Amino acid sequence: MSQKIAFITGGNRGLGFQTALDLKNSDTKIVIGSRDLAQGEQAVEKLRAAGVDADVLQFDITKPADYKAAYDYFNSKYGRLDILVNNAGIAAGKFPGTGPEHSAAEVPTDLLHKVFETNFFAQVALTDALLPLLKKSPAGRIVNLSSILGSLTLHADPKSPIYHAKSFAYDASKTALNAFTVHLAYELRDTKIKVNSAHPGWVKTDMGGESAPMELSEGGKTSAALATLPDDGPSGGYFHLGQPLPW
Ligand SMILES: NC(=O)c1ccc[n+]([C@@H]2O[C@H](COP(=O)([O-])OP(=O)(O)OC[C@H]3O[C@@H](n4cnc5c(N)ncnc54)[C@H](OP(=O)(O)O)[C@@H]3O)[C@@H](O)[C@H]2O)c1
C-alpha cells in the first residue's frame, strides 16, 4: 500500500511534535492533533518546512465529540488509520515535586480524576473509537505514551533509580495506561495491530522541565520506532529506546 497515515495526539509541541519530525522519512502522512488550531497550524508549518507531510486536526482528548470527529476525518479522507500515537498527556505538577499532587496519602481526589481522565480514560476511549480504522490497516501500530514512572516493579525496588521519584497521580495513570497496553495487545493478538507502551526518557519539554537530561531531539525516538515496527516486531511490550522495561 502507499503512504501510511498517522495520528499523533498533542502534536503541536513537545514530544508529539518531535515524533512527527522523526517520522519524516517513513513515507507517512502525519496528522497532528492540537487543542488550539492556530498552534497546530504553526506546528504544521514548521513540520512541512522540515520536509514532513503534515496536517492538523483540532482535537481535545477529553472531549468525546472529538473522538467521533477524528474517526470521521480519517474514515472520509483515507478509509483507514495505520498509526495512532497516544501522546497527549498531563502532569499533576512539576517534576520533581513535593506537593500533595505527588503524594498517595494527600492527593486531592478531583486532581486524581483529572489526571486519570486525560492520561487513561480518554486514551482508552479514543483508541477504541479508532480501532475499526486501525483494523483496516495492513500494519496497524498503537503507541501509548507511558513513562518509566508507570513501572510498579521499579517503584517498589529501593535500588531503582525512580524509587524516590514518586508522583502518585501521574504515575498511577501511566500504570493504568500500561494495563491497557497489555490487555489490548492480548485482544488484538490475532490481528496485524501491535500495541506497545513507550517511555521516551526524561526529556526537556514543558512537562519534563529544564533539569531533564535528554534533549528534545532525542525524545521522539522511542515513539517513532514503535510506530514503525516491522511485522515481526513485539506487541504488548513496554520499551525505552528498544530496551524492555519491567512493568
Ligand atoms: N517529557 C518527559 O520527560 C516525559 C517522560 C515520560 C513520558 N512523557 C509523556 O510523553 C507525552 C508528551 O509529553 P511532553 O513532555 O511532550 O509534554 P508537554 O510538553 O506538556 O506536551 C503535552 C502535549 O499534550 C497536549 N495535551 C494535553 N492535554 C490535552 C488534551 N486534553 N487534549 C489534547 N491534547 C492535550 C498538549 O497540548 P496543549 O499545547 O494544548 O496543552 C501538548 O501538545 C505525555 O503523555 C507524557 O506523559 C513525557
Side-chain angles (χ1 to χ4, degrees):
M1 197 178 289
S2 52
Q3 197 184 34
K4 287 178 281 190
I5 312 299
F7 185 35
I8 303 177
T9 63
N12 54 297
R13 62 186 169 99
L15 289 165
F17 179 81
Q18 183 62 41
T19 303
L21 272 181
D22 287 359
L23 289 173
K24 174 179 159 182
N25 294 321
S26 62
D27 194 15
T28 305
K29 159 75 81 179
I30 313 281
V31 180
I32 58 165
S34 178
R35 284 196 280 203
D36 182 298
L37 191 56
Q39 285 178 21
E41 282 166 349
Q42 280 172 18
V44 160
E45 268 180 42
K46 286 190 209 156
L47 289 168
R48 287 181 182 161
V52 180
D53 186 358
D55 279 330
V56 61
L57 177 68
Q58 188 165 26
F59 180 80
D60 184 330
I61 198 159
T62 61
K63 291 190 177 157
D66 285 8
Y67 313 151
K68 180 161 185 336
Y71 176 92
D72 289 344
Y73 175 90
F74 288 104
N75 189 40
S76 62
K77 282 185 91 132
Y78 307 107
R80 71 179 202 285
L81 181 64
D82 300 298
I83 296 167
L84 172 62
V85 183
N86 283 319
N87 170 82
I90 55 170
K94 287 280 174 208
F95 296 116
T98 53
E101 67 274 17
H102 298 289
S103 159
E106 295 170 28
V107 64
T109 306
D110 57 344
L111 184 88
L112 194 57
H113 276 276
K114 186 180 166 204
V115 173
F116 264 74
E117 181 53 42
T118 300
N119 291 359
F120 177 63
F121 295 117
Q123 313 289 336
V124 174
L126 172 68
T127 306
D128 289 354
L130 296 180
L131 257 188
L133 294 176
L134 286 152
K135 285 181 175 168
K136 290 186 180 162
S137 167
R141 302 289 180 260
I142 299 169
V143 183
N144 292 326
L145 261 287
S146 178
S147 165
I148 195 171
L149 297 177
S151 169
L152 289 179
T153 304
L154 294 177
H155 269 308
D157 177 359
K159 293 195 221 76
S160 101
I162 64 156
Y163 187 64
H164 294 292
K166 290 191 166 45
S167 181
F168 178 64
Y170 179 80
D171 300 357
S173 73
K174 296 298 187 181
T175 306
L177 186 64
N178 281 346
F180 181 51
T181 294
V182 171
H183 283 247
L184 188 63
Y186 169 79
E187 286 173 44
L188 297 174
R189 66 195 180 285
D190 294 326
T191 74
K192 291 174 177 161
I193 302 175
K194 296 184 187 301
V195 191
N196 290 289
S197 279
H199 168 53
W202 182 15
V203 186
K204 283 189 182 70
T205 62
D206 293 337
M207 184 190 290
E210 270 306 305
S211 29
M214 210 165 162
E215 296 301 323
L216 183 58
S217 57
E218 299 294 299
K221 287 186 174 170
T222 300
S223 295
L226 293 174
T228 53
L229 281 173
D231 289 343
D232 61 354
S235 187
Y238 180 22
F239 297 99
H240 171 60
L241 292 176
Q243 298 302 311
L245 286 176
W247 296 107

